């Protein structure tokens, strides 16, 4: 180990290396290598003739942070603790001096080419010998002499030389501090130089157990042993499987889906899970285990409070989504003695209370859902009612425990309002000019204008009118949701929200609405129609003889048979024929069935509500036609979806 001579030994080694290995032109005598700052004289800032010389200037010493707390391997006593050596990096400035005087047009000029020769030769040597070891010896007389200084021999760390690029700013500061003009120079870092500490090493007392924990040692008695250490053999716990047991249940679900606020219990299986204290960490929430054995741990999924641990900081409460869990085994006798298992995960989902789900009629139709974690801090959620998806941005009100969700128009409804136009020719003759009418929905009126040609194909008319109504909506959902269909050569208009009152009034100076038959008297049941859920295609009816029960107003129900159909229009025609053939009463005889969007619209023959039910022996047809069914309600937050058995019956 080097002592205080190590720094000077490095400088002496570099001097010996350069003196021995530098190549010089034949006309150069021996060039000295000096150690120290560049010489200063009053003429230093003036051009003058200078002799040839290489100067080594140690301008900075820094501590090596990587070896700051590291003992030399094999040098320390295993039973001792002491002080690591002082590990240093040395920073040198290699400066070349030397010039010759020449004449340029009678003016003396000092050429520094010789200094550049010297610097290139010195840099070549330091590049070729980047590590100086005990085996490097001199080549010039006296040859065979070790170049490494005696104070650095037999060291664990080698002397390594590295070119250290300096910025122009660093060089400027360096020469300014020396109050010298800038010279041709190169910077090098030499590491690592170690200087052994002279402080005495300490040796710990042997560990033992005192004669008494309470009484001090008696005078003249045996020496008191060192502190007693409790050594506890523990193995790191490992989780091999995760499952969830429902509240008050005994069956463990292999799919690890747990609910907040439902008293579900997380079950971890693995090895070495038991200890003096066992906890389960749910992300950042630590919960004491409710049951522990070496291969199994149970803990309740936490909400606002943890049994035995108190309330949870609201900022730390778990949110729906993937939750990381791990088992933590502690021993209070060992400070900081906690062993954590590997991480596992389970899906935390919202909890929906089936008993409190409520349907609220009105405008708009809505359902009220209560439970836990029904919304999160970010607006990332949806509610699924059957196949209809309502984004959280459309919720009527939102709290983590209660959401109010509008029922989409694509789900069944009763008391639907509609307008049925007159039978139209093809093409529809309108007369040139701007044609207009007023559309009123729920007491709100919007002027609808259309600059149309004198005639228009009948198949294009419904889409054109729907576009004009949507353009005039001004953000009102009732008008934006209004649909216009061509049904049996007649226009069929259904308002957004399905149930608000709708009326068409002639526009000023235009017979547009009258020409389309939109202001003529409407069918008696146009204000009390019933609509099915959206049908992607003609449903495949699974019953051998598909039948449904239909009740209009206070009249006795009738059972109608549904025949096969190739399209929704054909299905509507078949249902209309079956209704008219089922009873001689006007409610059934004058009933009409159309298609609005992808939904069946049933207009009774009288201003009475229509109800559809299953019949004995066939409880599937009415559901497959989505005329009357129960629709599952699921809430999704952060891509985690509830699985509670919750449904809503529609229409109501």
């Amino acid at each position: 180990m080097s002592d205080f001579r190590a720094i000077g030994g490095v400088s002496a080694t570099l001097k010996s290396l350069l003196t021995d290995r530098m190549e010089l032109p034949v006309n150069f005598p021996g060039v000295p290598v000096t150690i120290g700052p560049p010489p200063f004289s009053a003429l230093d800032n003036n051009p003058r003739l200078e002799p040839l010389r290489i100067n080594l200037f140690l301008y900075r010493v820094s501590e090596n942070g990587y070896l700051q707390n590291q003992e030399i391997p094999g040098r320390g006593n295993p039973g001792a603790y002491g002080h690591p050596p002082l590990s240093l990096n040395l920073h040198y400035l290699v400066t070349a001096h030397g010039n010759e005087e020449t004449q340029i047009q009678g003016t003396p000029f000092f050429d520094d080419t010789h200094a550049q020769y010297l610097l290139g030769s010195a840099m070549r040597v330091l590049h070729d010998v980047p590590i100086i070891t005990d085996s490097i010896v001199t080549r010039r007389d006296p040859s065979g002499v070790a170049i490494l200084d005696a104070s650095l021999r037999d060291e664990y760390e080698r002397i390594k030389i590295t070119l250290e690029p300096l910025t122009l700013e660093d060089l400027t500061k360096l020469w300014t501090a020396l109050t010298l003009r800038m010279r041709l120079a190169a910077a090098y870092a030499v590491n690592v130089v170690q200087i052994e500490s002279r402080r005495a090493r300490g040796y710990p007392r042997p560990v033992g157990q005192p004669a008494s924990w309470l009484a001090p040692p008696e005078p003249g008695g045996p020496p008191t042993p060192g502190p007693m250490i409790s050594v506890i053999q523990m193995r790191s716990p490992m989780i091999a499987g995760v499952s969830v047991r429902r509240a008050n249940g005994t069956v463990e679900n292999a799919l690890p889906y747990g609910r907040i606020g439902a008293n579900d219990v997380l079950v971890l299986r693995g090895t070495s899970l038991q200890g003096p204290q066992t906890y389960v960490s749910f992300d950042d929430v630590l919960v004491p285990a409710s049951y522990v054995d070496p291969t199994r741990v149970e803990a309740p999924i936490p909400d606002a409070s943890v049994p035995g641990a108190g309330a949870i900081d609201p900022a730390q409460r778990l949110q729906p989504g993937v939750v990381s869990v791990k088992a933590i085994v502690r021993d209070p006798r060992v400070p900081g003695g906690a062993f954590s298992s590997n991480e596992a995960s389970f899906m935390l989902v919202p909890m929906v209370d089936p008993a409190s789900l409520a349907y609220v009629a009105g405008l708009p139709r809505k359902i009220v859902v209560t439970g836990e974690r029904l919304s999160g801090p970010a607006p990332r959620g949806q509610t699924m009612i059957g196949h209809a998806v309502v984004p959280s941005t459309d919720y009527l009100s939102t709290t983590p425990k209660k959401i109010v969700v509008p029922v989409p128009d694509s789900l069944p409804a009763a008391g639907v309002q509609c307008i049925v136009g007159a039978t139209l020719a093809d093409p529809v003759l309108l007369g040139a000019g701007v044609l207009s009418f007023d559309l009123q929905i729920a007491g709100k009126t919007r002027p609808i204008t259309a600059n149309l040609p004198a005639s228009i194909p009948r198949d294009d008319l419904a889409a054109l009118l729907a576009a004009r109504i949507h353009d005039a909506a001004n953000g009102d959902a009732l008008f934006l949701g209004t649909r216009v269909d061509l049904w049996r050569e007649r226009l069929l208009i259904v308002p957004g929200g399905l149930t608000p009152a709708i009326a068409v009034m002639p526009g000023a100076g235009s017979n547009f609405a009258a020409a389309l038959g939109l202001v003529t008297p409407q069918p008696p049941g146009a204000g009390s129609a019933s609509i099915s859920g959206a049908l992607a295609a003609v449903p495949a009816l699974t019953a051998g003889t598909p039948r449904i029960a239909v009740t209009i107003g206070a009249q006795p129900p009738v059972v109608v048979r549904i025949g096969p159909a190739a399209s929704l229009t054909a299905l509507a025609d078949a249902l209309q024929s079956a209704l008219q053939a089922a009873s001689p009463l006007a409610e059934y005889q004058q009933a009409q069935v159309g298609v609005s969007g992808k939904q069946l619209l049933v207009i009774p023959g009288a201003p009475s509500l229509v109800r559809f039910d299953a019949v004995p022996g066939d409880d599937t047809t009415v559901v497959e036609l989505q005329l009357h069914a129960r629709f599952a309600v699921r809430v999704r937050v952060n891509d985690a979806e509830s699985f509670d058995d919750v449904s809503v019956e529609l229409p109501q």
Side-chain angles (χ1 to χ4, degrees):
M1 178 66 67
S2 299
D3 54 16
F4 64 93
R5 297 173 295 172
I7 297 177
V10 171
S11 298
T13 299
L14 295 178
K15 177 179 178 180
S16 299
L17 178 65
L18 292 175
T19 301
D20 182 68
R21 301 293 175 93
M22 283 179 60
E23 297 173 321
L24 302 172
V26 294
N27 57 339
F28 283 19
V31 175
V33 178
T34 58
I35 299 174
F40 174 81
S41 72
L43 301 176
D44 187 69
N45 293 322
N46 299 323
R48 59 188 176 88
L49 190 65
E50 295 180 341
L52 298 174
R53 178 166 56 89
I54 286 290
N55 189 78
L56 299 174
F57 175 38
L58 177 62
Y59 69 91
R60 180 173 171 233
V61 178
S62 62
E63 187 172 10
N64 189 292
Y66 296 101
L67 302 177
Q68 187 174 12
N69 296 315
Q70 181 173 313
E71 290 275 10
I72 296 296
R75 299 287 180 89
N77 190 319
Y81 54 90
H83 308 284
L86 176 62
S87 300
L88 301 175
N89 298 329
L90 307 182
H91 304 266
Y92 284 89
L93 193 68
V94 180
T95 310
H97 300 261
N99 57 15
E100 62 178 348
E101 184 176 355
T102 62
Q103 295 288 329
I104 298 178
Q105 296 180 357
T107 302
F109 175 76
F110 296 95
D111 189 346
D112 285 344
T113 303
H114 291 169
Q116 296 177 16
Y117 289 158
L118 286 179
L119 183 63
S121 180
M123 293 181 70
R124 194 273 308 164
V125 173
L126 299 179
H127 176 75
D128 287 351
V129 189
I131 302 177
I132 305 176
T133 62
D134 298 350
S135 62
I136 298 178
V137 297
T138 58
R139 295 175 180 175
R140 295 175 179 167
D141 290 335
S143 62
V145 178
I147 290 179
L148 187 66
D149 189 79
S151 63
L152 302 175
R153 295 172 190 169
D154 300 324
E155 290 302 300
Y156 180 79
E157 292 289 343
R158 300 301 184 186
I159 301 302
K160 295 177 282 291
I161 306 170
T162 307
L163 182 63
E164 184 177 33
L166 297 182
T167 65
L168 181 60
E169 181 181 1
D170 293 334
L171 286 172
T172 303
K173 290 179 179 179
L174 181 59
W175 288 104
T176 301
L178 294 172
T179 65
L180 297 173
R181 67 179 177 88
M182 183 177 290
R183 298 278 188 170
L184 181 62
Y188 284 87
V190 178
N191 54 69
V192 173
V193 180
Q194 293 185 307
I195 300 176
E196 185 176 12
S197 174
R198 297 295 299 274
R199 289 185 289 179
R201 292 180 174 271
Y203 294 86
R205 291 181 295 169
V207 176
Q209 183 173 354
S212 172
W213 290 103
L214 301 177
E218 297 180 1
T224 303
M228 179 179 176
I229 300 176
S230 298
V231 178
I232 300 173
Q233 182 180 2
M234 298 188 70
R235 301 171 63 184
S236 295
M238 186 191 74
I239 299 174
V242 181
S243 60
V244 175
R245 190 178 72 247
R246 303 287 170 246
N248 302 320
T250 58
V251 178
E252 295 178 16
N253 295 274
L255 296 177
Y257 285 77
R259 301 168 294 175
I260 278 287
N263 297 321
D264 288 352
V265 176
L266 186 73
V267 180
L268 305 178
R269 281 191 166 83
T271 58
S272 304
L273 298 176
Q274 188 174 26
Q277 295 176 348
T278 301
Y279 298 84
V280 175
S281 173
F282 295 81
D283 284 342
D284 295 326
V285 180
L286 204 61
V287 178
S290 57
Y291 173 83
V292 181
D293 67 34
T295 62
R296 177 188 177 95
V297 170
E298 296 182 3
I301 297 176
D303 181 18
S305 62
V306 176
I312 297 176
D313 183 352
Q316 288 188 315
R317 291 182 181 176
L318 301 179
Q319 294 298 326
V322 177
V323 176
S324 297
V325 293
K326 56 185 177 181
I328 299 177
V329 178
R330 290 179 175 175
D331 193 311
R333 296 172 295 174
V334 181
F339 294 81
S340 297
S341 71
N342 57 306
E343 285 194 353
S345 61
F346 77 102
M347 181 65 78
L348 187 65
V349 302
M351 189 274 288
V352 178
D353 183 5
S356 62
L357 184 74
Y359 173 85
V360 181
L363 192 63
R365 299 182 297 158
K366 51 186 172 288
I367 58 172
V368 180
V369 184
T370 59
E372 291 290 342
R373 298 299 190 277
L374 301 178
S375 64
R380 289 180 51 202
Q382 304 89 26
T383 294
M384 283 70 69
I385 308 174
H387 293 294
V389 178
V390 182
S392 59
T393 52
D394 291 345
Y395 291 175
L396 302 178
S397 67
T398 306
T399 67
K401 293 180 178 291
K402 179 179 178 180
I403 57 175
V404 179
V405 182
V407 177
D409 291 354
S410 59
L411 294 174
V416 176
Q417 307 285 317
C418 63
I419 292 177
V420 181
T423 302
L424 302 174
D426 190 15
V428 181
L429 302 178
L430 301 171
V434 178
L435 306 177
S436 65
F437 65 92
D438 292 337
L439 181 64
Q440 187 180 78
I441 302 177
K444 304 174 184 178
T445 302
R446 295 285 189 278
I448 311 300
T449 60
N451 191 358
L452 300 178
S455 65
I456 186 171
R458 183 174 57 197
D459 291 342
D460 296 341
L461 185 59
L464 187 145
L465 287 183
R468 294 296 183 270
I469 293 172
H470 297 164
D471 290 342
N474 195 24
D476 193 315
L478 299 180
F479 290 87
L480 286 174
T482 296
R483 60 184 79 165
V484 182
D485 295 279
L486 187 65
W487 167 54
R488 294 196 185 104
E489 292 78 44
R490 296 179 290 173
L491 291 176
L492 178 63
I493 304 177
V494 177
L498 303 178
T499 60
I502 182 171
V504 171
M505 295 167 287
S510 174
N511 64 348
F512 181 58
L516 301 179
L518 299 177
V519 294
T520 58
Q522 294 296 305
S528 56
S530 185
I531 198 168
S532 73
L535 303 171
V538 178
L541 304 180
T542 57
T545 304
R547 294 165 298 154
I548 59 174
V550 184
T551 304
I552 300 179
Q555 300 300 333
V558 297
V559 176
V560 298
R561 179 176 176 178
I562 309 298
S567 65
L568 285 181
T569 300
L571 180 63
D573 293 342
L575 180 56
Q576 177 175 310
S577 299
L579 284 173
Q580 293 174 349
S583 172
L585 298 174
E587 285 86 346
Y588 299 96
Q589 280 289 316
Q590 299 178 19
Q592 302 179 71
V593 182
V595 178
S596 176
K598 296 182 179 181
Q599 297 168 264
L600 297 175
L601 181 69
V602 181
I603 304 174
S608 303
L609 294 178
V610 185
R611 178 179 175 84
F612 300 92
D613 293 293
V615 298
D618 183 0
D619 58 358
T620 60
T621 299
V622 71
V623 175
E624 291 165 345
L625 293 176
Q626 291 200 34
L627 292 169
H628 189 175
R630 297 197 70 86
F631 295 85
V633 177
R634 293 156 295 156
V635 178
R636 182 182 297 162
V637 179
N638 298 333
D639 298 325
E641 185 175 306
S642 66
F643 54 79
D644 300 281
D645 186 12
V646 183
S647 62
V648 60
E649 181 182 359
L650 295 174
Q652 292 190 35

